[in-house]
Amino acid sequence: MKSFKDIYKNSENKIAGIAAAPGIVIGQVYLFAKEKLEISKAPITDVAEAIENFQEALRQSKKELNKIFGIAREKMDEVRAAIFEAQVMILDDPILIQNIESRIAKEMIQPEFIVADEISKYQELMIISHESYMKERAHDIEDIKHRIIRNLQKKRWQSKIETNLIVVSEALTPADTLLFSRRETLAFVTDHGGLTSHAAIISRSLNIPAVVGTHNATQLIKEGDTIIVDGFHGYIITNPTDEQLHFFTEKQKKLQEIQKGLEEFRDQPAVTLDGKEIKLEANVDVTGEIDVVITSNANGIGLYRSEQILNELGVFPEEDEQAIIYSKLASRMYPKFVTIRAFDIGGDKFRISEYKEPNPFLGLRGVRFLLENETLFRTQIRAVLKASENKNVRLMIPMISTLDEVWRCLDIIHECKSDLKREKIKFDNHIKVGIMIEVPSAAVMAKEYAEEVDFLSIGTNDLIQYMMAVDRGNDLVSNLYQEFSPVVVRTIEHIVKAAKHSKIPVSICGEMAADTLAIPLLVGLGLDSLNDVSKYNFIRKKS
Ligand code: PEP
Ligand code: MG
């Protein structure tokens, strides 16, 4: 049987993009193009009437957005649904409204021209920002601009959308994505947008496969074409050959079989023939994944990548806002536990614009950033502690590379606990605090570190990158990214032994734990738990 690699190597009819939401879909294309609006700059004579038209367009746009916000709340968790609430708030922005109205009165030209001009100014500022989050938000604002102008021109809201098709579009706003999801859309493909685009985030939470950032899919694909969307690897196959159709249909069947087969084992413990139970835990990147985690009956959440909240919100949430997010997560998982990893900022993740680093992977990342920004770190620790009252929350620190960092973190956590006690706020005083072992220096010293903390979690994604000196995201050197290298295997063994020596649990939260080939090896090396990141790989078989 050919592999994905073989298939893609020989395929001239493939389009590469970013794998934004997993799944394989074969279907027909609906080429979605937003109606291009003609914007008039014609003079007006009646200012009062123009301002009244503008007000009416705002009211109508708000009505539409509120409707979408309602659907969003039904379908998604609150954090994600808030994308739309934020858009409604822009429609209420007094400065924006005032600017537009006073320009209508002064320049006496069509309000639609002034609306386009004023909102474009906001967008330009966002587009030149270095933050990918801000760039993405510029697309969301395009949606609002389009909406107000359409309503000024008294055009109807396009809501007639075909069902059961693959939507291919230059870009998708969060509202488009949500409306399409109601029409049983099979998959999304876009020219623009990255992993943090809201269209990508929404697709993931609604389980609709998506490939984004293809640059030119809309030029290469035609309405009605049959295409294959591979949301696991980020490819689209246009006009597939019989061989390709056969390959992907087989893969789809296999996925369904695996899924069905695994369901049988879902409620059974994962036990080896000699009676050792391996805990299968989930990795969670976005809150919308929790449903899948609960239905797959994972033993808990071994890694909650909290920096995702920053990607979604674009700002550091206040302590109470964070406490609400973590408490909700903890109560949804209760009595199973949730391991909240402190913000792993830097590297290829959420970045703070004031820090421009030539080599971010070796820079102010993870715990280094947190210790440099102690107030922010304390805010997060306090929020995690507040969510720990029911004793099912654990705290994990990323990117530890020195023992001193471990001690400093433990001191800060201790101080935060004392503050909360003084403030008479309830929390789990015995909350388990663990560290990630993902930097070679920490791996070498694992024994000493294990004596200080309650658990270790091996982050193989970074550990392999740093041990082999190979950028985990760089295609050119991907052949050196070898999870089965003796270097990696011996290092894992060394870390596991260190944890056993201190009688603390050790897990793997890197992608390696989701590789079915690696699982027997990891179990043999003595891992207590595997954070199985792939939802399709929840193993429950006896091995
Ligand atoms: C890892 O490095 O293995 C890990 C789980 O963390 P992340 O992928 O978020 O860096
Ligand atoms: Mg990591």
Side-chain angles (χ1 to χ4, degrees):
M1 174 85 182
K2 284 193 167 165
S3 67
F4 279 104
K5 215 168 168 181
D6 301 328
I7 284 284
Y8 287 127
K9 208 159 74 192
N10 302 319
S11 301
E12 307 241 306
N13 55 342
K14 67 174 185 283
I15 303 172
I18 300 167
I24 289 173
V25 168
I26 302 171
Q28 270 198 329
V29 168
Y30 170 56
L31 212 49
F32 171 67
K34 270 221 149 103
E35 190 192 352
K36 293 256 178 303
L37 294 173
E38 296 287 325
I39 297 171
S40 158
K41 203 185 172 183
I44 54 165
T45 46
D46 190 339
V47 169
E49 185 188 38
I51 290 182
E52 176 45 36
N53 284 345
F54 169 60
Q55 292 283 0
E56 176 53 31
L58 281 183
R59 276 194 291 276
Q60 181 58 26
S61 303
K62 218 183 295 176
K63 218 160 106 187
E64 291 173 5
L65 267 178
N66 274 326
K67 195 163 161 197
I68 294 169
F69 182 42
I71 304 170
R73 269 201 307 211
E74 252 171 52
K75 289 207 156 211
M76 302 190 295
D77 63 281
E78 301 247 324
V79 176
R80 214 77 43 73
I83 298 166
F84 299 100
E85 193 179 25
Q87 293 195 17
V88 176
M89 277 159 65
I90 293 176
L91 290 175
D92 278 328
D93 179 354
I95 301 176
L96 180 69
I97 296 172
Q98 165 102 50
N99 275 351
I100 294 174
E101 289 185 352
S102 54
R103 277 189 62 188
I104 296 174
K106 207 162 111 215
E107 296 171 32
M108 297 198 53
I109 48 176
Q110 287 292 342
E112 61 196 54
F113 179 83
I114 295 170
V115 167
D117 195 45
E118 279 297 311
I119 300 187
S120 297
K121 281 189 206 158
Y122 264 55
Q123 284 178 300
E124 271 153 32
L125 284 177
M126 292 170 114
I127 285 167
I128 57 170
S129 150
H130 293 291
E131 295 303 321
S132 65
Y133 181 87
M134 286 304 258
K135 286 195 213 297
E136 298 293 356
R137 297 298 75 77
H139 283 296
D140 297 356
I141 297 205
E142 181 70 26
D143 186 48
I144 297 182
K145 181 166 82 180
H146 197 272
R147 199 175 290 283
I148 303 173
I149 295 172
R150 179 176 44 72
N151 281 318
L152 270 168
Q153 298 178 347
K154 308 238 180 310
K155 291 198 174 137
R156 276 176 54 82
W157 185 14
Q158 180 190 359
S159 57
K160 262 218 161 95
I161 299 162
E162 303 282 340
T163 56
N164 280 311
L165 293 172
I166 298 172
V167 173
V168 179
S169 175
E170 273 182 30
L172 284 170
T173 65
D176 297 332
T177 319
L178 199 68
L179 290 176
F180 279 124
S181 78
R182 295 190 96 200
R183 310 290 298 160
E184 275 107 57
T185 288
L186 300 176
F188 292 113
V189 175
T190 65
D191 289 349
H192 309 301
L195 264 191
T196 57
S197 64
H198 275 139
I201 295 173
I202 292 173
S203 319
R204 281 198 290 276
S205 44
L206 300 177
N207 278 330
I208 301 176
V211 175
V212 300
T214 58
H215 304 299
N216 55 0
T218 52
Q219 282 152 38
L220 302 173
I221 298 173
K222 288 194 300 301
E223 177 93 19
D225 277 358
T226 296
I227 62 169
I228 300 170
V229 179
D230 175 357
F232 291 107
H233 301 92
Y235 284 111
I236 293 121
I237 303 268
T238 56
N239 302 317
T241 60
D242 287 346
E243 190 200 9
Q244 289 166 332
L245 277 175
H246 178 72
F247 176 84
F248 284 98
T249 314
E250 287 303 307
K251 284 286 170 206
Q252 277 182 318
K253 278 196 212 141
K254 188 111 193 149
L255 278 173
Q256 276 161 7
E257 264 168 40
I258 293 174
Q259 195 64 17
K260 230 167 116 215
L262 295 179
E263 271 158 27
E264 263 179 58
F265 295 102
R266 216 189 58 151
D267 301 322
Q268 294 176 26
V271 188
T272 61
L273 284 179
D274 59 354
K276 179 171 161 85
E277 182 173 353
I278 311 295
K279 298 267 181 244
L280 294 182
E281 298 159 9
N283 278 9
V284 170
D285 292 77
V286 290
T287 330
E289 286 176 295
I290 308 291
D291 287 342
V292 185
V293 173
I294 291 171
T295 46
S296 61
N297 204 11
N299 288 111
I301 295 179
L303 168 63
Y304 175 75
R305 289 184 164 101
S306 68
E307 61 279 0
Q308 185 60 39
I309 303 173
L310 309 179
N311 279 333
E312 288 180 24
L313 300 181
V315 288
F316 286 102
E318 303 283 326
E319 179 180 320
D320 282 343
E321 200 179 340
Q322 280 188 58
I324 291 173
I325 297 173
Y326 305 146
S327 299
K328 269 196 191 156
L329 187 66
S331 61
R332 286 217 58 202
M333 286 304 292
Y334 188 84
K336 293 173 177 170
F337 69 87
V338 175
T339 312
I340 299 173
R341 177 173 74 183
F343 297 132
D344 187 8
I345 291 166
D348 58 343
K349 308 202 178 148
F350 188 86
R351 288 219 216 130
I352 309 298
S353 48
E354 66 196 78
Y355 296 106
K356 297 253 177 308
E357 298 178 289
N359 204 343
F361 272 116
L362 301 181
L364 203 58
R365 205 193 138 180
V367 71
R368 303 171 184 180
F369 175 90
L370 297 171
L371 290 171
E372 276 291 306
N373 293 274
E374 218 181 288
T375 316
L376 192 140
F377 190 22
R378 280 176 192 269
T379 305
Q380 187 175 30
I381 295 171
R382 283 174 58 96
V384 171
L385 286 171
K386 282 182 171 178
S388 71
E389 201 188 331
N390 292 326
K391 303 191 176 11
N392 68 327
V393 171
R394 317 193 305 176
L395 176 62
M396 181 157 78
I397 317 292
M399 277 295 288
I400 291 283
S401 60
T402 71
L403 204 45
D404 184 55
E405 286 165 350
V406 179
W407 290 327
R408 284 177 64 196
C409 290
L410 293 177
D411 283 347
I412 295 174
I413 295 167
H414 181 74
E415 282 165 24
C416 289
K417 283 184 177 179
S418 306
D419 292 344
L420 288 184
K421 274 184 206 155
R422 220 172 308 115
E423 293 163 37
K424 302 212 173 356
I425 294 173
K426 287 196 189 143
F427 64 94
D428 176 10
N429 196 28
H430 302 291
I431 185 170
K432 299 260 185 288
V433 178
I435 56 172
M436 290 196 57
I437 303 288
E438 51 184 345
V439 177
S441 64
V444 172
M445 296 284 283
K447 189 159 159 280
E448 283 72 12
Y449 292 17
E451 282 162 16
E452 306 294 327
V453 293
D454 299 315
F455 63 93
L456 301 182
S457 187
I458 308 175
T460 45
N461 302 345
D462 277 311
L463 188 59
I464 300 172
Q465 145 166 286
Y466 293 124
M467 295 205 71
M468 308 295 290
V470 51
D471 178 346
R472 62 195 254 189
N474 183 343
D475 274 11
L476 297 176
V477 284
S478 58
N479 60 329
L480 283 172
Y481 193 93
Q482 297 166 359
E483 60 185 26
F484 293 108
S485 155
V487 176
V488 176
V489 177
R490 273 191 210 168
T491 307
I492 294 175
E493 185 188 23
H494 173 75
I495 302 166
V496 173
K497 278 194 178 143
K500 305 271 170 199
H501 187 264
S502 286
K503 300 192 173 47
I504 60 167
V506 54
S507 62
I508 285 215
C509 61
E511 300 269 339
M512 189 173 177
D515 182 341
T516 35
L517 274 183
I519 288 169
L521 172 69
L522 298 175
V523 170
L525 286 173
L527 265 300
D528 302 312
S529 46
L530 303 175
N531 293 7
D532 200 344
V533 290
S534 161
K535 280 140 223 146
Y536 296 95
N537 268 345
F538 260 96
I539 50 150
R540 295 274 163 194
K541 290 181 196 151
K542 291 194 173 215
S543 58

